[in-house]
Amino acid sequence: MKIIINLGQGSLEHGCSNVVVQLLRDRHCIRQFSGSLPPEPELAQLYSQWQQGYLAFYQEKDYRIGLLETEGIRYSAADFQQICQQIPQQLNFWLNSPEFAAIETALRTELSKEEAIQVIIAAADRQLQKLPWQLWKFVDDYPRAEIAFSSLNWQETQVFQRNRQQVRILAILGNSTGIEVEHDLDALKVLPDSELTVLTEPPLAELNEYLWQPAGWDILLFSGHSQSNLAAGYIYLNKTEKITIAQLKHSLSKAIAEGLQIAIFNSCDGIGLAAELADLSLPYTVVMGEPVPDKIARIFLRYFLMAFATGKTFSLAVKEARQKLAGWETEYICASWLPAIWQNPATEYLIWRDVSSKTKPPRSRPVASLGLISSLVAASLVMVCRSLGWLEPSELTAYDRLMRQRPGETVDPRILVVEVTEEDLNRDRYPLADSALVEAIDLLEEHQPTAIGLDIHRPEERDPSYLDLIARLEQKSHLFPVCAYGKTNVSYNLPQGLSTPKLRRQMGFNDLLLDRQIGSEPGGLNHRQMDYSSNSQVRRQLLAYNPNKPPTSAKCFTPYSLSFQLSFEYLQQQGFTSLMLTPEQNWQLGSVTLQDLPAQFGAYQQLKERGNQIAINYRAGEPGKKITLSQLRAGKVNPEWIENKVVLLGYTSAVAQDYFDTPYGVMPGVWIHAHMTSQIISAVEDERPLIRALPQWGDWLWILGWSSLMALVLASLSQKPRYVSILAAIAMILILDRIFLLLLVEGAWLPYVPTLIALLIVACAVIIPWRGDRQYKSLIG
């Protein structure tokens, strides 16, 4: 938003009878209204008194002015401090007059406090031009508003676009008797992408020749002595020449036509200079409204250039520098009142890249090339690190986080888990007696379940109900006890007396595959595990052992897992009678292929061949309904939960030490088997997706594609401020995070951490080399 307040030929003494206000947004006038300001001679007199007190207060300072007459000025520190406080009050009292208040009210209805606002005061009276308009309460209420001044007559100029390689800066160090203008060069030398030319006390003829150079200039800086009067502004070019802007009219007009956008007069009392430059339609000028101490001039220039070169608009950079000067006002009273912007109202917002963008060819192409090369290198480097297993722990952790973020699912109504809890074992004993198992089986059989899985190992000793248990196992083909491979403990011995066909076809092993801790071999096998570390988790499901490679000291004759036995029994009853073998030697149930995990799958890079195994797509919620053994005995169970359902009976008591870590936290073994059983049934009956992953070359293409997209996006923003590129990179990473989650919901496990690392590498490679403002900020900040 741009607000032009035209005060016309008015003054404080006689008032402003016709104040015209225009509101422009995107160069279009959206509203115009008028008002007036009454005479305010008290403010005029007060400002004149302030000027005298200001000169007297600073009479011992080193001014950037040629001659400062302070003799005969009466000065009282208390009076001066009081005047400094009265001026803002009197200024706001004047601007709050009824004739002008309606204008302010109209402005506030149109403006948002978040938007950047340029308030341009167009006035002919010199005193109106010198007033500290930034103290206007209205401007103070809008954090991104700043005051600028303009002459009454202005026009838009067409700037000739030149193909320069750097921002060209012409620094003129004029007569510097008693001051240290050479320090101004320190702030200029570290500006990014700039070419600095310095003229020290040049004669007028030499300055004219430089301004006429065909290459043109972008920024003009004058540091030295200067002053203004009602007739004109003067700069002390050297010890013998004092010149006006009029003497440079033709050369400056040529420089403006060739691209000069900014003039900085870091010298005293430059309002006269700014007014004359405004008549030449120079886009932006910064001057000091009053005599300025040498130290304040140096500090302001450093603050301003630091803010401007690091992304602030020209106006807000001046505002920030001016506000920082307030920190020096204990020693230099009213220092923040001094800087003033003069602006051609026809110009747009100006930021550092606008100064440099027309002085060099577009950089998007070399930046894009650098980005695409870096994306290729990053994708390849990340995949090499991944193949060595270095990224596996972080990838699995990220996978677990995404799993937990998936939307919840309903309970699988085909599964029922009967938990043997601590309360149940307090009533019976551990391990559970055969009589209790027989009782539980009989109670379940009353409601005709499709399959029953007993995830319970029996004690070695027999009790009087042992033969009853064997009899039921022999009679019921849908009753599946468990065994364990690789276990020598007598607690894992097979039921004695059970026929060989039953041992082969009606048993199911309940061994689980664990992802070991960092540094251990992935794909470990364990049956009882109490280490709950985040890298010793159950993420894979073992469907069957390879019969040609049986483990040693087998306690099992069956090659099939408990979860597969239960799910296959259920699916057979539902009409899925065939288990086919695909040409790739994978199992197929109905239309679903249970594709065996290769050695490299997702984050895994060194999976051992242990038989048919798939990734577990845990249900986002309970995989089945649940009751306790006590509730079953008491008849507190809905028969519909059992009839034609799969029932698992297992320990959830801590004494059984049957707990494992999963992406959803620590979980009893029986519930993991319930998840695995539900996974197979849901995949076949409901088409619920299984976890899939791309081959390694597919992961590489995925990473390369996203990192290349990041490079192209950042290349397209190479002309924007750094923070825009950083925000774009962050936004892209956040969007990609959600894409990974959505794809995982559909069963696609894609390389999250490798892609993220590649994107960060590309972002650093594209943003850092092409931005000089970090170095600049570190040098002058």
Side-chain angles (χ1 to χ4, degrees), residues 375-392:
S375 64
L376 178 62
V377 173
S380 302
L381 179 63
V382 166
M383 287 302 292
V384 169
C385 295
R386 192 191 202 208
S387 65
L388 296 174
W390 295 351
L391 303 182
E392 184 171 313

Side-chain angles (χ1 to χ4, degrees), residues 284-316:
Y284 282 94
T285 305
V286 178
V287 297
M288 296 294 176
E290 298 290 344
V292 59
D294 183 47
K295 185 174 183 179
I296 291 298
R298 297 198 305 267
I299 293 172
F300 167 77
L301 185 65
R302 178 163 59 91
Y303 285 158
F304 162 67
L305 291 177
M306 178 173 63
F308 187 45
T310 52
K312 292 285 194 307
T313 65
F314 184 92
S315 298
L316 293 183

Side-chain angles (χ1 to χ4, degrees), residues 57-234:
F57 177 82
Y58 284 104
Q59 59 187 333
E60 301 300 330
K61 306 292 183 181
D62 294 326
Y63 284 107
R64 292 195 174 191
I65 197 167
L67 178 64
L68 185 61
E69 297 180 0
T70 60
E71 293 183 8
I73 294 179
R74 298 180 62 185
Y75 171 71
S76 166
D79 290 345
F80 181 55
Q81 292 281 2
Q82 184 177 7
I83 293 173
C84 291
Q85 296 175 7
Q86 288 176 335
I87 284 181
Q89 298 172 1
Q90 197 67 29
L91 174 65
N92 281 283
F93 176 79
W94 180 51
L95 296 176
N96 199 36
S97 61
E99 299 91 336
F100 192 77
I103 291 178
E104 180 175 336
T105 301
L107 290 175
R108 290 182 182 273
T109 61
E110 295 286 346
L111 302 176
S112 166
K113 292 198 175 182
E114 288 74 31
E115 64 182 322
I117 303 168
Q118 289 177 305
V119 182
I120 302 176
I121 308 296
D125 183 70
R126 184 60 53 85
Q127 195 173 44
L128 286 177
Q129 296 168 352
K130 285 197 168 193
L131 283 178
W133 286 82
Q134 67 273 8
L135 302 178
W136 182 14
K137 183 65 167 56
F138 168 78
V139 175
D140 193 48
D141 288 343
Y142 290 84
R144 301 186 66 199
E146 178 61 341
I147 292 288
F149 297 91
S150 168
S151 64
L152 297 180
N153 303 310
W154 50 269
Q155 64 179 5
E156 185 175 7
T157 58
Q158 297 296 325
V159 179
F160 181 71
Q161 301 293 309
R162 293 190 100 37
N163 186 21
R164 301 171 186 153
Q165 294 303 310
Q166 290 181 306
V167 178
R168 301 197 74 215
I169 304 172
L170 178 61
I172 306 165
L173 303 184
N175 183 2
S176 57
T177 303
I179 57 176
E180 300 177 357
V181 296
E182 64 276 1
H183 289 302
D184 290 3
L185 298 179
D186 297 336
L188 293 171
K189 290 177 181 177
V190 291
L191 283 171
D193 305 322
S194 61
E195 174 190 341
L196 176 63
T197 299
V198 181
L199 300 180
T200 302
E201 296 193 4
L204 176 59
E206 181 183 0
L207 175 58
N208 263 308
E209 285 194 18
Y210 271 88
L211 290 174
W212 274 90
Q213 282 189 1
W217 305 96
D218 297 294
I219 299 175
L220 173 68
L221 169 72
F222 174 80
S223 294
H225 293 304
S226 69
Q227 66 182 115
S228 299
N229 56 38
L230 293 177
Y234 300 90

Side-chain angles (χ1 to χ4, degrees), residues 461-481:
E461 67 275 7
R462 301 181 180 183
D463 66 21
S465 298
Y466 177 72
L467 294 178
D468 294 333
L469 176 61
I470 295 299
R472 282 159 177 74
L473 293 177
E474 289 286 353
Q475 296 166 6
K476 308 293 183 180
S477 62
H478 61 273
L479 188 60
F480 296 89

Side-chain angles (χ1 to χ4, degrees), residues 22 34 59 138 223 253 481 525 552 629 719 741 747 752:
Q22 289 181 307
S34 61
Q59 59 187 333
F138 168 78
S223 294
S253 297
L525 179 71
T552 59
L629 181 58
Q719 303 298 310
L741 176 59
Y752 181 97

